[in-house]
Amino acid sequence: MNLKAERGAATRERVLTIATRLFAERGYDDTSIETVLQESGLSRGALYHHYAGKEALFEAVLEATEAGVGAKIVQAVRGAGSPEAALRIGIRTWIRLAGDPVIKRIVLIDAPAVLGWERWRALEERYSFGMLKSALDATGTVPAAYLDLHAHMLLAAINESALLVARGGDHATAEAAVEEFLRRLLRTD
């Protein structure tokens, strides 16, 4: 990698770190590009060289956050004894992560509103929804014709539980409810 590319990558990483903190603390609406510029020390032109605007910066923050969540879930399910166990562990991990203020604000609250449902769902397809669908398919409990529909319904149940936890709800109760839902869905004990 040449020096110019290294500097560009370092600048993008620094801006993403600053923007992640600001979006998590203040939310999308109350985070201005001016604040990002002040904290990063970049000129407006330098920032716009890397990100087309505030929404593009938010989307980059969301992608980085989703990638981090995915990595934590993959790590948590390593060594799971079965596809069903991996699915359960992954879901429990997601529900626990939903309580993190960064994930709560960026992924669960602001992302659907900022990007709109269609763009948010397309991004989710590359990350959490895609992982969930693959994990559900690996269990072999859902007919192929219903896989997409069941994955969407499962995601809705998981995200609703995650939102309850993120809003200060009881982690144990949410996890138990999802565990019972999965037991019934997968017809396992």
Side-chain angles (χ1 to χ4, degrees), residues 18-37:
I18 291 166
T20 298
R21 180 179 50 78
L22 292 171
F23 286 134
E25 289 172 357
R26 301 174 181 195
Y28 180 83
D29 289 337
D30 293 331
T31 299
S32 67
I33 285 295
E34 287 70 28
T35 304
V36 174
L37 292 173

Side-chain angles (χ1 to χ4, degrees), residues 158-170:
I158 294 164
N159 279 346
E160 187 61 28
S161 296
L163 282 166
L164 290 171
V165 168
R167 290 186 179 122
D170 179 8

Side-chain angles (χ1 to χ4, degrees), residues 20-183:
T20 298
R21 180 179 50 78
L22 292 171
F23 286 134
E25 289 172 357
R26 301 174 181 195
Y28 180 83
D29 289 337
D30 293 331
T31 299
S32 67
I33 285 295
E34 287 70 28
T35 304
V36 174
L37 292 173
Q38 286 174 341
E39 293 209 18
S40 67
L42 290 177
S43 68
R44 188 173 300 276
L47 180 71
Y48 287 137
H49 171 74
H50 296 288
Y51 304 100
K54 182 177 165 181
E55 190 174 307
L57 178 57
F58 179 82
E59 191 166 345
V61 165
L62 175 61
E63 288 223 31
T65 304
E66 287 275 13
V69 166
K72 288 176 183 174
I73 291 172
V74 166
Q75 180 63 32
V77 302
R78 278 206 174 104
S82 68
E84 291 86 358
L87 182 62
R88 285 186 171 115
I89 292 166
I91 290 169
R92 280 195 306 267
T93 301
W94 165 236
I95 290 171
R96 289 180 187 134
L97 289 170
D100 179 293
V102 173
I103 294 166
K104 171 182 159 180
R105 185 62 187 227
I106 292 169
V107 176
L108 294 172
I109 297 171
D110 283 349
V114 172
L115 300 180
W117 192 88
E118 300 243 346
R119 278 182 55 213
W120 178 59
R121 179 58 74 204
L123 192 121
E124 288 283 298
E125 182 79 35
R126 291 196 311 267
Y127 293 100
S128 57
F129 181 70
M131 288 174 57
L132 175 65
K133 192 172 166 182
S134 293
L136 187 59
D137 188 32
T139 68
T141 59
V142 177
Y146 297 119
L147 180 62
D148 196 62
L149 179 61
H150 280 214
H152 277 284
M153 292 185 320
L154 182 55
L155 180 65
I158 294 164
N159 279 346
E160 187 61 28
S161 296
L163 282 166
L164 290 171
V165 168
R167 290 186 179 122
D170 179 8
H171 285 258
T173 301
E175 286 179 30
V178 172
E179 187 71 30
E180 175 61 18
F181 177 77
L182 283 174
R183 188 185 67 74

